[in-house]
């Protein structure tokens, strides 16, 4: 439920901060990407369920329950947004690492060609 999602987000965020210090983080990036994608799917399913429940409560016209359901729907929406932000950040980091690796490879190739001349 809600608590699991927040703990999952915290673990992924801290892992992402930690592995930026590793000399070769490519494998860790794949793991983090998979983790964030899983969390996004989980939160999307939860949000769909919560919205369905909210609709049922709205149709029953019970104001107290509707306020509580609306608040909970907002919380789940925020968790969903946070997981998408985490996925965006890890994908941006992955793209940056790919760019750095490609640039490094081109420089190595250039040096190798200049040494062989």
């Amino acid at each position: 439920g809600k608590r699991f999602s927040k703990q999952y987000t915290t673990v992924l965020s801290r892992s992402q901060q930690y592995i930026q210090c590793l000399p070769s983080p490519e494998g860790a990036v794949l793991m983090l990407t998979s983790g964030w994608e899983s969390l996004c799917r989980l939160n999307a399913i939860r949000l769909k369920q919560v919205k369905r429940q909210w609709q049922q409560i709205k149709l029953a016209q019970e104001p107290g329950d509707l306020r509580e359901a609306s608040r909970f729907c907002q919380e789940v929406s925020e968790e969903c947004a946070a997981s998408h932000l985490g996925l965006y950040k890890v994908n941006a980091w992955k793209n940056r690492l790919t760019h750095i690796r490609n640039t490094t490879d081109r420089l190595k190739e250039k040096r190798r060609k200049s040494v062989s001349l």
Side-chain angles (χ1 to χ4, degrees):
K2 174 184 163 188
R3 192 160 178 225
F4 171 78
S5 181
K6 284 189 176 191
Q7 289 174 340
Y8 201 105
T9 301
T10 302
V11 167
L12 287 170
S13 295
R14 287 184 182 164
S15 298
Q16 197 164 323
Q17 291 170 355
Y18 172 74
I19 50 181
Q20 289 180 7
C21 303
L22 298 176
S24 180
E26 283 85 3
V29 169
L30 292 175
M31 178 194 69
L32 282 173
T33 301
S34 176
W36 282 115
E37 287 171 346
S38 296
L39 184 59
C40 285
R41 281 191 301 274
L42 171 72
N43 283 337
I45 291 167
R46 286 181 61 227
L47 185 58
K48 188 175 181 178
Q49 291 171 341
V50 168
K51 284 182 177 182
R52 191 176 306 128
Q53 291 170 351
W54 181 81
Q55 279 291 358
Q56 291 170 349
I57 291 170
K58 185 177 177 181
L59 291 174
Q61 297 181 352
E62 297 180 25
D65 292 341
L66 186 58
R67 278 191 294 276
E68 181 65 24
S70 294
R71 185 190 59 74
F72 186 63
C73 189
Q74 180 65 33
E75 285 179 16
V76 174
S77 293
E78 290 170 4
E79 289 176 21
C80 198
S83 62
H84 280 92
L85 178 61
L87 180 60
Y88 170 80
K89 286 180 178 181
V90 79
N91 281 326
W93 186 38
K94 183 169 55 173
N95 290 338
R96 194 173 96 217
L97 286 174
T98 300
H99 176 73
I100 290 168
R101 185 181 51 226
N102 291 342
T103 303
T104 304
D105 291 347
R106 280 193 305 263
L107 289 173
K108 285 179 183 177
E109 182 65 24
K110 208 176 200 181
R111 283 190 199 130
R112 192 176 57 78
K113 285 182 180 180
S114 69
V115 169
S116 65
L117 294 176

